[in-house]
Amino acid sequence: MSEIKNKVIWITGASSGIGEALAYQIAEKGGKLILSARRENELQRVKDNCKGINPDEIKILPLDLNQPDTLPILAQEAISLFGTVDILINNGGVTQRSLAVETSSEVERIIMEVNFFAAITLSKSVLTVMKKQQSGHLVIISSVAGKVATKMRSSYAASKHALQGYFDSLRAEVWQDNIKVTLICPGYVKTSISLNAFTAEGAKYNQMDKNQELGISVDVCAQKILQAIEKDQEEIYIARKEMIAVYLKRFFPGILSKIVKNIKVGN
Ligand SMILES: NC(=O)c1ccc[n+]([C@@H]2O[C@H](COP(=O)([O-])OP(=O)(O)OC[C@H]3O[C@@H](n4cnc5c(N)ncnc54)[C@H](OP(=O)(O)O)[C@@H]3O)[C@@H](O)[C@H]2O)c1
């Protein structure tokens, strides 16, 4: 059982959405927090809104997941803030709203860098301290898109599929050091993710998708993520009707393929 109380928990993408909701719930459970994302002012707002925690037990560590060379150094800085990292939640991420053929290779590379390479770099950096202390927990916010790929999400789905493969492999390598790996696969969650999505050329999509608007609340999503951490679950879905696609992919992939081909481009 991975406790939250008194644990040092580093969250990337803590300036909004799922990461922000996680910060509030972890603070209430008595965890010590390191909050990371690019926007320092938003991280400060999240810190100020955390309740039930001594402000000294929340540190802000701004970072850009798209700057790979900076991440190992920043990970050492994160470890030095409280002397360790017990739980790393790789949550920061970005999606797209663009057809594969039209998407610039720059956008494709940023999505892979932010969603995939940054998560593995940070995880490997904290693994050194986790191995030494013979305990730790890596949490990865993947997606239903890590299992089922749909139109307009080619690089996003690729990045989430890559996380699934990498961290399933890593889990098999580190369990004997008492290091847990939990993959979280949310479906639609009501956040700004579609507003922040890239268009084909890398502009901000800036539209709230209907599926996101009607999605699961961030509070419920964060609650289920923390339950999965506390129960040391290896993988969970947080989804509603999207689960049909997951089961079709597993048991009737041909049927799912036909459905996906016929989905109207847009959402
Ligand atoms: N919402 C959904 O329906 C859904 C479903 C499945 C999976 N997810 C996953 O959940 C995670 C959180 O997304 P969300 O829905 O909460 O969306 P969000 O509100 O847009 O949050 C994204 C977070 O990632 C951070 N981020 C983006 N690019 C970054 C970069 N280059 N460097 C550092 N931080 C960066 C953002 O902070 P800054 O802009 O301040 O850097 C923000 O805190 C993502 O991994 C996403 O793929 C979401």
Side-chain angles (χ1 to χ4, degrees), residues 15-16 18 38-39 64-65 91 156 187 189 191 196 212:
S15 61
S16 70
I18 296 170
R38 286 167 301 182
R39 291 168 300 163
D64 185 345
L65 297 170
N91 166 73
Y156 181 70
V189 183
T191 70
N196 296 329
Q212 245 74 48

Side-chain angles (χ1 to χ4, degrees), residues 14-26:
S15 61
S16 70
I18 296 170
E20 176 177 356
L22 281 168
Y24 298 146
Q25 292 186 26
I26 289 168

Side-chain angles (χ1 to χ4, degrees), residues 74-199:
L74 286 163
Q76 290 316 312
E77 210 174 313
I79 292 165
S80 71
L81 290 171
F82 293 104
T84 191
V85 169
D86 296 302
I87 303 175
L88 167 63
I89 306 182
N90 286 296
N91 166 73
V94 64
T95 188
Q96 72 191 114
R97 292 295 182 267
S98 55
L99 293 170
V101 74
E102 293 173 358
T103 303
S104 70
S105 53
E106 196 193 345
V107 166
E108 291 168 337
R109 282 176 190 282
I110 295 174
I111 291 172
M112 289 304 292
E113 199 67 67
V114 171
N115 294 3
F116 176 66
F117 286 112
I120 69 174
T121 301
L122 296 184
S123 298
K124 286 201 297 186
S125 301
V126 299
L127 268 178
T128 52
V129 74
M130 289 178 175
K131 272 182 179 264
K132 234 180 256 165
Q133 68 191 21
Q134 286 289 290
S135 71
H137 203 139
L138 301 172
V139 181
I140 300 91
I141 311 301
S142 173
S143 171
V144 165
K147 302 283 183 171
V148 174
T150 54
K151 294 175 187 175
M152 310 284 280
R153 306 283 193 279
S154 48
S155 303
Y156 181 70
S159 70
K160 298 295 186 180
H161 274 68
L163 287 172
Q164 295 284 145
Y166 185 93
F167 282 95
D168 276 345
S169 176
L170 183 69
R171 184 192 294 113
E173 296 176 5
V174 298
W175 70 275
Q176 281 169 318
D177 294 306
N178 194 29
I179 297 165
K180 312 283 190 307
V181 175
T182 297
L183 281 154
I184 307 285
C185 304
Y188 297 114
V189 183
K190 190 175 176 183
T191 70
S192 302
I193 192 159
S194 68
L195 295 165
N196 296 329
F198 285 126
T199 63

Side-chain angles (χ1 to χ4, degrees), residues 28 39 45-47 50 116 118 174 216 219-220 225 228 260:
E28 292 198 348
R39 291 168 300 163
R45 176 186 60 77
V46 173
K47 175 176 175 172
C50 282
F116 176 66
V174 298
I216 293 169
D219 295 335
V220 169
I225 292 170
V260 169

